[in-house]
Amino acid sequence: MNRLALLCVGRAGACMGTMVFAGALPVLRQDWQMSAATAGSIQTAFNLSNALALLIAAWLADHYGARRVYLVCTWSGAAALACFACFAHSPQTALVGIVLVGLTQGGAYAPALMLAADLSAPQARGRAMGVMLAAGSFGYLLSVFFALWAARSLGPTAGFAVCAAGVLAGAAVGHVSLRGVARAPARAGSTPAALATGTAKSALGPAALCLLVGYVAHCWELLGHYAWTPSLLVAALASSNLGITTTALLVGVAIHVSGMLSTIAFGALSDRGSRSTVLIVVAGAGAMCSLLLGCSMQWHPAWTVSIAAVASFFILGDSGVLSAAISDTVPADKLGRVMGIRSVLGFGAGAVAPITFGTVFDTSHDWQAAYATLAAGGGIAFLAAACLAHFARRSRRRV
């Protein structure tokens, strides 16, 4: 197994803590008597602390190397989730604990993508980042499955503890995979298909701004989807009388397996063609799927599960493409800080999505109205991708 593949295995384990609260939420709302707004506020606190960690870690990665920052964050993330499992027994203690988890685990995101770029050739960067994100999605799947299954079978603490063990194992594998890797080398060149222009651009150019707006809107839709779709699916499947294990597996697979496949597929596709075209198609389809997902509670549960899987395929599908495009666009010595700013803005906006969703749902008691708030993010991402394509065409005409 090569170094990048082994790192992806470790990344999957390290991500098992990211979805632990969202996975257990269907059980926690009943056990802790939480309103949707309260549950959304806890997830928002996690996302905000995640955003802060992303900013700090990305800046540190430019100065001390992505390898060192990644390892510090994964090991400390395992310790933080173990503390969360021990002390989170109410909405109040969970709020404090989830902030600590976000501040530690969140810092591994940008360094992981930087390492993926460093360990791959420029012409394969989209695929490499897609694989890294797919590994994270697999970790999310495990997180949702074990958090929901163990929370229903043994109680929430058991679900948190199982995920903490997974994060610890992921940190150990990541440590082994990065032995001998020095400070991140300079990233040379760009893919011929980058932004459909074939050339790298200034970090402050219009293409970078379009990518920034698109990423912020993408995070709004994605983080809201991750926080609330497990609860939607559990509600839809309640009348089906499925067992705990089957329900947990269906929820995890519907949300994360399709997304895992899409990051690889769309990342590789963007290496061969135009990143902007891929972003237009994926963002537009994701927005439509969010609207359909809100309507699906009126239909058979099989439709709800199927639409959730298709929605995840498109909502997550542009993650690797956006990251590869930023890597193509920004000079190597500025990539860490640009990704940090991008991440804090994206995850900061995305942090508001779960509580916005929950507030709308508390007010309207309507899944369709709540999911419309997420579809708005997909619509903005679509417009940003269209603007990116426009600037790419203007650049070609000048050449």
Side-chain angles (χ1 to χ4, degrees):
M1 183 179 293
N2 63 38
R3 193 183 296 276
L4 179 60
L6 190 60
L7 177 62
C8 287
V9 173
R11 180 64 180 153
C15 285
M16 281 186 64
T18 307
M19 299 296 296
V20 68
F21 180 77
L25 186 56
V27 177
L28 295 176
R29 282 192 67 192
Q30 182 176 0
D31 287 0
W32 293 354
Q33 297 296 300
M34 287 190 297
S35 67
T38 299
S41 67
I42 295 174
Q43 186 65 39
T44 288
F46 172 77
N47 292 342
L48 286 173
S49 60
N50 228 3
L52 179 60
L54 285 163
L55 178 64
I56 296 171
W59 180 83
L60 290 173
D62 271 345
H63 291 78
Y64 300 104
R67 173 190 177 275
R68 183 181 301 177
V69 176
Y70 177 81
L71 292 176
V72 168
C73 290
T74 52
W75 283 112
S76 59
L81 192 58
C83 291
F84 185 79
C86 292
F87 301 111
H89 303 298
S90 68
Q92 293 75 28
T93 53
L95 179 63
V96 175
I98 207 72
V99 168
L100 181 61
V101 173
L103 287 173
T104 52
Q105 289 189 191
Y109 177 78
L113 292 178
M114 294 170 71
L115 287 166
D118 294 335
L119 296 174
S120 61
Q123 63 270 21
R125 191 170 287 158
R127 182 177 58 191
M129 290 192 171
V131 171
M132 182 63 71
L133 290 166
S137 293
F138 185 67
Y140 300 160
L141 184 157
L142 296 176
S143 181
V144 169
F145 173 77
F146 283 113
L148 179 56
W149 173 79
R152 281 196 162 184
S153 303
L154 306 170
T157 299
F160 301 154
V162 169
C163 291
V167 175
L168 180 62
V173 173
H175 191 97
V176 171
S177 71
L178 292 175
R179 282 179 178 171
V181 174
R183 179 186 171 96
R187 296 168 185 83
S190 175
T191 65
L195 309 180
T197 66
T199 58
K201 296 178 172 52
S202 164
L204 301 178
L209 293 176
C210 290
L211 289 167
L212 178 62
V213 172
Y215 184 80
V216 170
H218 156 79
C219 285
W220 171 278
E221 186 175 30
L222 178 64
L223 297 184
H225 173 68
Y226 275 169
W228 281 106
T229 300
S231 295
L232 173 83
L233 292 176
V234 169
L237 294 168
S239 62
S240 301
N241 297 317
L242 299 175
I244 296 170
T245 302
T246 303
T247 299
L249 187 61
L250 273 176
V251 171
V253 168
I255 297 174
H256 295 296
V257 167
S258 60
M260 178 176 66
L261 297 174
S262 72
T263 57
I264 300 173
F266 288 123
L269 185 63
S270 73
D271 284 337
R272 295 175 175 272
S274 164
R275 299 213 201 278
S276 58
T277 300
V278 173
L279 290 172
I280 289 172
V281 173
V282 174
M288 292 299 298
C289 287
S290 287
L291 292 174
L292 286 174
L293 197 52
C295 301
S296 67
M297 283 293 286
Q298 305 170 25
W299 308 329
H300 191 276
W303 279 108
T304 306
V305 174
S306 299
I307 293 170
V310 175
S312 295
F313 185 81
F314 288 108
I315 292 173
L316 184 60
D318 52 356
S319 290
V321 183
L322 287 164
S323 296
I326 281 289
S327 182
D328 292 333
T329 305
V330 175
D333 60 339
K334 297 179 181 178
L335 181 61
R337 70 199 74 175
V338 171
M339 289 189 76
I341 293 170
R342 181 190 80 146
S343 296
V344 77
L345 291 175
F347 279 75
V352 184
I355 193 171
T356 302
F357 186 109
T359 301
V360 171
F361 186 73
D362 277 341
T363 302
S364 65
H365 303 289
D366 182 10
W367 288 105
Q368 188 172 353
Y371 269 96
T373 66
L374 304 185
I380 294 172
F382 172 84
L383 294 175
C387 290
L388 179 66
H390 169 72
F391 287 123
R393 287 193 295 270
R394 286 181 57 185
S395 177
R396 284 198 300 269
R397 284 198 295 267
R398 287 172 184 168
V399 174

